[in-house]
Amino acid sequence: MSAPVPVSLLVNGEPIEALVLPRLNLADFLRESLKLTGTHVGCEHGVCGACTVRIDGEIVRSCLMLAVQAEGASVETIEGLSDSGEIADLQAAFRERNALQCGYCTPGMLITAQDLLKHLPVPDRQAIREHLSGNYCRCTGYQAIVDAVEATAKMRGERPA
Amino acid sequence: MKAAAFAYARATSVVNALELLAAHGDKAKILSGGQSLMPAMNLRLISPDILVDIGGLAELRGITVSAGVLIVGALTRHVDLLKSPEIALHAPLLRNAVTHVAHPAIRNRGTIGGSLAHADPASELPACVVALDAMIVVRGSSGERRIGATEFFKGIYETALSPDELLVAIEMPVAGKSSTFFFQEYARRHGDYAVVGLAARAVVAAGRFTDLRLGFFAVGDRPLLAAAAGRLINASVTSALLSEAATALADELDPQEDQQATAAMRRHLATVLLRRCVAALLARPELEAGVTK
């Protein structure tokens, strides 16, 4: 009964066909089957945000989604966002401000921060904190992360469109 | 942890989903957004034999207004409620409530039908549909039925849904121009489980409530429509009357003690929310004064 199910999806723009067990969550599928290990697995129940990815342009928890549910979806991981250069400035701001230490939360933080900046280009610090409130960082104390997101928003605002 | 093994069926229609439920009974679980089901499965709190995935059923998604009734499809996501002009106009209470539901990544997947069927006593949307006097539309092999929101919730994670029934929509009267709303909750951190919350709908005329529905959550095993509201309807609300209502409310509640709060703390916070709610809806800030007593 719990036989493998065929699934076809786009991952970072690349078509993928696979046979997956129903119980395999999307985070493990990305990490184990596709070796895209930038998506991290922390709490496995939707609290920590380390596994955040984009599905059809919107952020979701890949630990709370089955790989079979991604049928027909376009999945973007931190590798995709990084390789395309979409978040190069945000990554640079994180580096400059030491907005990461161990780095475990960083992929999820970057994807979530980029999501905020897409929806709200000039967020105040409160809005940044609120949007990132579903992403845990156990190293930085968050101040540097908020600084980096705020600095990126400012730089993007000053850049001619 | 990871979920235990299960079989998976992608429903192709509501009829197909009902056939699958009829075949598997309570061994099956419906998967919509998965934002409550997947954590419970990953934590091995539940291990269904089969998941019936209704996520692709477009017929269950969307918000429409017809003949004075706002109809919200079960698969409508929290983020859709947040962005919908119909919700902002006709049921702003839902919009206000959703901003308190978890975090953006969860709201992008979680559905209103899933939240109601899950029936967590600490969650926001069940209390909202109680306050809004909504009807829950469910379909089973023997047809469709409508269940009043106050009858729908039966206990912690328990509802009036039979194992072979599917929640398909929520129907609410559209808010008249005279309706006003209040939503507030106490949580340790924004997006966390509420310690105590209140979703309210009122009709105020000439400084009095002609209707007042107070849906409290995280104060018992299900959302509670507070009978204490009756004391404030068609009455001149004074500080003394409000104190009486607060005492009646505290007596009416049967909150649980957990790691977040004692029962006494929940009773106290519920009365604080009552005072704030009444003061806000009547635009009489002085009524909130009893808050710190």
PDB file of all heavy atoms in Angstrom, chain A residues 26 52-60 74-77 81 84 86-87 111 114-115 118:
ATOM      1  N   LEU A  26       9.563  16.714   1.739  1.00  0.00           N
ATOM      2  CA  LEU A  26      10.257  17.421   0.654  1.00  0.00           C
ATOM      3  C   LEU A  26      11.687  17.773   1.046  1.00  0.00           C
ATOM      4  O   LEU A  26      12.600  17.708   0.217  1.00  0.00           O
ATOM      5  CB  LEU A  26       9.457  18.680   0.286  1.00  0.00           C
ATOM      6  CG  LEU A  26      10.037  19.547  -0.823  1.00  0.00           C
ATOM      7  CD1 LEU A  26      10.123  18.775  -2.146  1.00  0.00           C
ATOM      8  CD2 LEU A  26       9.182  20.804  -1.011  1.00  0.00           C
ATOM      9  N   THR A  52      13.140  26.115   5.190  1.00  0.00           N
ATOM     10  CA  THR A  52      12.315  26.955   4.320  1.00  0.00           C
ATOM     11  C   THR A  52      12.789  26.908   2.857  1.00  0.00           C
ATOM     12  O   THR A  52      13.980  27.064   2.585  1.00  0.00           O
ATOM     13  CB  THR A  52      12.346  28.416   4.828  1.00  0.00           C
ATOM     14  OG1 THR A  52      11.942  28.416   6.203  1.00  0.00           O
ATOM     15  CG2 THR A  52      11.398  29.301   4.025  1.00  0.00           C
ATOM     16  N   VAL A  53      11.856  26.689   1.950  1.00  0.00           N
ATOM     17  CA  VAL A  53      12.121  26.740   0.508  1.00  0.00           C
ATOM     18  C   VAL A  53      11.000  27.560  -0.141  1.00  0.00           C
ATOM     19  O   VAL A  53      10.053  27.956   0.542  1.00  0.00           O
ATOM     20  CB  VAL A  53      12.176  25.333  -0.142  1.00  0.00           C
ATOM     21  CG1 VAL A  53      13.295  24.495   0.453  1.00  0.00           C
ATOM     22  CG2 VAL A  53      10.829  24.617  -0.037  1.00  0.00           C
ATOM     23  N   ARG A  54      11.102  27.797  -1.432  1.00  0.00           N
ATOM     24  CA  ARG A  54      10.012  28.463  -2.150  1.00  0.00           C
ATOM     25  C   ARG A  54       9.297  27.473  -3.059  1.00  0.00           C
ATOM     26  O   ARG A  54       9.946  26.723  -3.778  1.00  0.00           O
ATOM     27  CB  ARG A  54      10.564  29.618  -3.008  1.00  0.00           C
ATOM     28  CG  ARG A  54      10.831  30.855  -2.200  1.00  0.00           C
ATOM     29  CD  ARG A  54      10.823  32.151  -3.011  1.00  0.00           C
ATOM     30  NE  ARG A  54      11.629  32.121  -4.213  1.00  0.00           N
ATOM     31  CZ  ARG A  54      12.435  33.138  -4.592  1.00  0.00           C
ATOM     32  NH1 ARG A  54      12.534  34.232  -3.860  1.00  0.00           N
ATOM     33  NH2 ARG A  54      13.114  33.066  -5.709  1.00  0.00           N
ATOM     34  N   ILE A  55       7.987  27.470  -2.968  1.00  0.00           N
ATOM     35  CA  ILE A  55       7.160  26.658  -3.861  1.00  0.00           C
ATOM     36  C   ILE A  55       6.319  27.630  -4.670  1.00  0.00           C
ATOM     37  O   ILE A  55       5.558  28.410  -4.089  1.00  0.00           O
ATOM     38  CB  ILE A  55       6.204  25.731  -3.073  1.00  0.00           C
ATOM     39  CG1 ILE A  55       6.962  24.865  -2.067  1.00  0.00           C
ATOM     40  CG2 ILE A  55       5.360  24.893  -4.031  1.00  0.00           C
ATOM     41  CD1 ILE A  55       7.647  23.679  -2.640  1.00  0.00           C
ATOM     42  N   ASP A  56       6.443  27.562  -5.989  1.00  0.00           N
ATOM     43  CA  ASP A  56       5.702  28.473  -6.876  1.00  0.00           C
ATOM     44  C   ASP A  56       5.826  29.919  -6.372  1.00  0.00           C
ATOM     45  O   ASP A  56       4.848  30.672  -6.349  1.00  0.00           O
ATOM     46  CB  ASP A  56       4.227  28.038  -6.983  1.00  0.00           C
ATOM     47  CG  ASP A  56       4.097  26.649  -7.599  1.00  0.00           C
ATOM     48  OD1 ASP A  56       4.937  26.301  -8.444  1.00  0.00           O
ATOM     49  OD2 ASP A  56       3.175  25.905  -7.220  1.00  0.00           O
ATOM     50  N   GLY A  57       7.016  30.262  -5.924  1.00  0.00           N
ATOM     51  CA  GLY A  57       7.315  31.646  -5.567  1.00  0.00           C
ATOM     52  C   GLY A  57       7.030  32.031  -4.124  1.00  0.00           C
ATOM     53  O   GLY A  57       7.388  33.121  -3.702  1.00  0.00           O
ATOM     54  N   GLU A  58       6.372  31.149  -3.360  1.00  0.00           N
ATOM     55  CA  GLU A  58       6.026  31.505  -1.979  1.00  0.00           C
ATOM     56  C   GLU A  58       6.777  30.592  -1.006  1.00  0.00           C
ATOM     57  O   GLU A  58       6.951  29.400  -1.272  1.00  0.00           O
ATOM     58  CB  GLU A  58       4.516  31.382  -1.749  1.00  0.00           C
ATOM     59  CG  GLU A  58       3.668  32.254  -2.658  1.00  0.00           C
ATOM     60  CD  GLU A  58       3.923  33.757  -2.493  1.00  0.00           C
ATOM     61  OE1 GLU A  58       4.367  34.185  -1.413  1.00  0.00           O
ATOM     62  OE2 GLU A  58       3.691  34.497  -3.477  1.00  0.00           O
ATOM     63  N   ILE A  59       7.168  31.154   0.136  1.00  0.00           N
ATOM     64  CA  ILE A  59       7.947  30.353   1.083  1.00  0.00           C
ATOM     65  C   ILE A  59       7.073  29.340   1.824  1.00  0.00           C
ATOM     66  O   ILE A  59       5.931  29.622   2.178  1.00  0.00           O
ATOM     67  CB  ILE A  59       8.694  31.232   2.115  1.00  0.00           C
ATOM     68  CG1 ILE A  59       7.740  32.166   2.871  1.00  0.00           C
ATOM     69  CG2 ILE A  59       9.810  32.014   1.444  1.00  0.00           C
ATOM     70  CD1 ILE A  59       8.382  32.850   4.075  1.00  0.00           C
ATOM     71  N   VAL A  60       7.615  28.151   2.020  1.00  0.00           N
ATOM     72  CA  VAL A  60       6.938  27.106   2.801  1.00  0.00           C
ATOM     73  C   VAL A  60       7.989  26.328   3.592  1.00  0.00           C
ATOM     74  O   VAL A  60       9.190  26.426   3.342  1.00  0.00           O
ATOM     75  CB  VAL A  60       6.147  26.107   1.913  1.00  0.00           C
ATOM     76  CG1 VAL A  60       5.175  26.814   0.995  1.00  0.00           C
ATOM     77  CG2 VAL A  60       7.065  25.220   1.103  1.00  0.00           C
ATOM     78  N   SER A  74       6.915  24.183  -8.766  1.00  0.00           N
ATOM     79  CA  SER A  74       8.251  24.705  -9.009  1.00  0.00           C
ATOM     80  C   SER A  74       8.888  24.997  -7.653  1.00  0.00           C
ATOM     81  O   SER A  74       8.431  25.876  -6.930  1.00  0.00           O
ATOM     82  CB  SER A  74       8.160  25.981  -9.854  1.00  0.00           C
ATOM     83  OG  SER A  74       9.429  26.603  -9.879  1.00  0.00           O
ATOM     84  N   VAL A  75       9.916  24.221  -7.314  1.00  0.00           N
ATOM     85  CA  VAL A  75      10.578  24.357  -6.018  1.00  0.00           C
ATOM     86  C   VAL A  75      11.885  25.121  -6.208  1.00  0.00           C
ATOM     87  O   VAL A  75      12.639  24.828  -7.134  1.00  0.00           O
ATOM     88  CB  VAL A  75      10.893  22.955  -5.420  1.00  0.00           C
ATOM     89  CG1 VAL A  75      11.581  23.085  -4.073  1.00  0.00           C
ATOM     90  CG2 VAL A  75       9.621  22.121  -5.317  1.00  0.00           C
ATOM     91  N   GLU A  76      12.113  26.096  -5.351  1.00  0.00           N
ATOM     92  CA  GLU A  76      13.402  26.799  -5.375  1.00  0.00           C
ATOM     93  C   GLU A  76      14.067  26.661  -4.016  1.00  0.00           C
ATOM     94  O   GLU A  76      13.444  26.935  -2.984  1.00  0.00           O
ATOM     95  CB  GLU A  76      13.195  28.284  -5.681  1.00  0.00           C
ATOM     96  CG  GLU A  76      12.712  28.560  -7.096  1.00  0.00           C
ATOM     97  CD  GLU A  76      12.260  30.004  -7.220  1.00  0.00           C
ATOM     98  OE1 GLU A  76      11.131  30.305  -6.778  1.00  0.00           O
ATOM     99  OE2 GLU A  76      13.036  30.819  -7.733  1.00  0.00           O
ATOM    100  N   THR A  77      15.309  26.236  -4.037  1.00  0.00           N
ATOM    101  CA  THR A  77      16.061  26.068  -2.794  1.00  0.00           C
ATOM    102  C   THR A  77      17.104  27.175  -2.675  1.00  0.00           C
ATOM    103  O   THR A  77      17.295  27.966  -3.605  1.00  0.00           O
ATOM    104  CB  THR A  77      16.791  24.709  -2.779  1.00  0.00           C
ATOM    105  OG1 THR A  77      17.815  24.753  -3.783  1.00  0.00           O
ATOM    106  CG2 THR A  77      15.824  23.566  -3.075  1.00  0.00           C
ATOM    107  N   LEU A  81      18.492  30.127  -5.396  1.00  0.00           N
ATOM    108  CA  LEU A  81      18.520  31.574  -5.132  1.00  0.00           C
ATOM    109  C   LEU A  81      19.945  32.104  -5.160  1.00  0.00           C
ATOM    110  O   LEU A  81      20.202  33.227  -5.592  1.00  0.00           O
ATOM    111  CB  LEU A  81      17.886  31.893  -3.765  1.00  0.00           C
ATOM    112  CG  LEU A  81      16.389  32.202  -3.767  1.00  0.00           C
ATOM    113  CD1 LEU A  81      15.578  30.946  -4.029  1.00  0.00           C
ATOM    114  CD2 LEU A  81      15.984  32.797  -2.423  1.00  0.00           C
ATOM    115  N   SER A  84      21.511  31.983  -8.900  1.00  0.00           N
ATOM    116  CA  SER A  84      20.942  32.957  -9.834  1.00  0.00           C
ATOM    117  C   SER A  84      21.415  34.373  -9.544  1.00  0.00           C
ATOM    118  O   SER A  84      21.225  35.274 -10.350  1.00  0.00           O
ATOM    119  CB  SER A  84      19.420  32.921  -9.756  1.00  0.00           C
ATOM    120  OG  SER A  84      18.992  33.516  -8.541  1.00  0.00           O
ATOM    121  N   GLU A  86      20.166  36.165  -7.242  1.00  0.00           N
ATOM    122  CA  GLU A  86      19.021  36.931  -6.735  1.00  0.00           C
ATOM    123  C   GLU A  86      19.288  37.528  -5.357  1.00  0.00           C
ATOM    124  O   GLU A  86      18.822  38.623  -5.048  1.00  0.00           O
ATOM    125  CB  GLU A  86      17.778  36.011  -6.691  1.00  0.00           C
ATOM    126  CG  GLU A  86      16.549  36.704  -6.133  1.00  0.00           C
ATOM    127  CD  GLU A  86      15.333  35.788  -6.008  1.00  0.00           C
ATOM    128  OE1 GLU A  86      15.268  34.744  -6.697  1.00  0.00           O
ATOM    129  OE2 GLU A  86      14.449  36.126  -5.191  1.00  0.00           O
ATOM    130  N   ILE A  87      20.024  36.790  -4.542  1.00  0.00           N
ATOM    131  CA  ILE A  87      20.228  37.265  -3.170  1.00  0.00           C
ATOM    132  C   ILE A  87      21.693  37.581  -2.872  1.00  0.00           C
ATOM    133  O   ILE A  87      22.095  37.627  -1.705  1.00  0.00           O
ATOM    134  CB  ILE A  87      19.703  36.238  -2.138  1.00  0.00           C
ATOM    135  CG1 ILE A  87      20.341  34.864  -2.361  1.00  0.00           C
ATOM    136  CG2 ILE A  87      18.184  36.155  -2.178  1.00  0.00           C
ATOM    137  CD1 ILE A  87      20.100  33.913  -1.189  1.00  0.00           C
ATOM    138  N   ILE A 111      16.178  32.971   2.687  1.00  0.00           N
ATOM    139  CA  ILE A 111      14.974  32.802   1.856  1.00  0.00           C
ATOM    140  C   ILE A 111      13.817  33.592   2.458  1.00  0.00           C
ATOM    141  O   ILE A 111      13.067  34.267   1.746  1.00  0.00           O
ATOM    142  CB  ILE A 111      14.618  31.306   1.708  1.00  0.00           C
ATOM    143  CG1 ILE A 111      15.702  30.588   0.895  1.00  0.00           C
ATOM    144  CG2 ILE A 111      13.248  31.138   1.047  1.00  0.00           C
ATOM    145  CD1 ILE A 111      15.424  29.125   0.617  1.00  0.00           C
ATOM    146  N   GLN A 114      14.448  37.362   1.971  1.00  0.00           N
ATOM    147  CA  GLN A 114      14.204  37.734   0.566  1.00  0.00           C
ATOM    148  C   GLN A 114      12.698  37.799   0.286  1.00  0.00           C
ATOM    149  O   GLN A 114      12.224  38.675  -0.439  1.00  0.00           O
ATOM    150  CB  GLN A 114      14.891  36.722  -0.367  1.00  0.00           C
ATOM    151  CG  GLN A 114      14.594  36.902  -1.844  1.00  0.00           C
ATOM    152  CD  GLN A 114      15.159  38.207  -2.417  1.00  0.00           C
ATOM    153  OE1 GLN A 114      15.810  38.991  -1.708  1.00  0.00           O
ATOM    154  NE2 GLN A 114      14.889  38.445  -3.688  1.00  0.00           N
ATOM    155  N   ASP A 115      11.943  36.894   0.912  1.00  0.00           N
ATOM    156  CA  ASP A 115      10.481  36.894   0.760  1.00  0.00           C
ATOM    157  C   ASP A 115       9.892  38.204   1.295  1.00  0.00           C
ATOM    158  O   ASP A 115       9.036  38.825   0.665  1.00  0.00           O
ATOM    159  CB  ASP A 115       9.906  35.694   1.520  1.00  0.00           C
ATOM    160  CG  ASP A 115       8.394  35.619   1.412  1.00  0.00           C
ATOM    161  OD1 ASP A 115       7.901  35.356   0.304  1.00  0.00           O
ATOM    162  OD2 ASP A 115       7.710  35.821   2.435  1.00  0.00           O
ATOM    163  N   LYS A 118      10.675  41.088  -1.055  1.00  0.00           N
ATOM    164  CA  LYS A 118       9.864  41.036  -2.276  1.00  0.00           C
ATOM    165  C   LYS A 118       8.478  41.640  -2.023  1.00  0.00           C
ATOM    166  O   LYS A 118       7.916  42.326  -2.851  1.00  0.00           O
ATOM    167  CB  LYS A 118       9.683  39.579  -2.716  1.00  0.00           C
ATOM    168  CG  LYS A 118      10.687  39.133  -3.767  1.00  0.00           C
ATOM    169  CD  LYS A 118      10.608  37.638  -4.022  1.00  0.00           C
ATOM    170  CE  LYS A 118       9.210  37.168  -4.396  1.00  0.00           C
ATOM    171  NZ  LYS A 118       9.116  35.693  -4.447  1.00  0.00           N
TER     172      LYS A 118
END
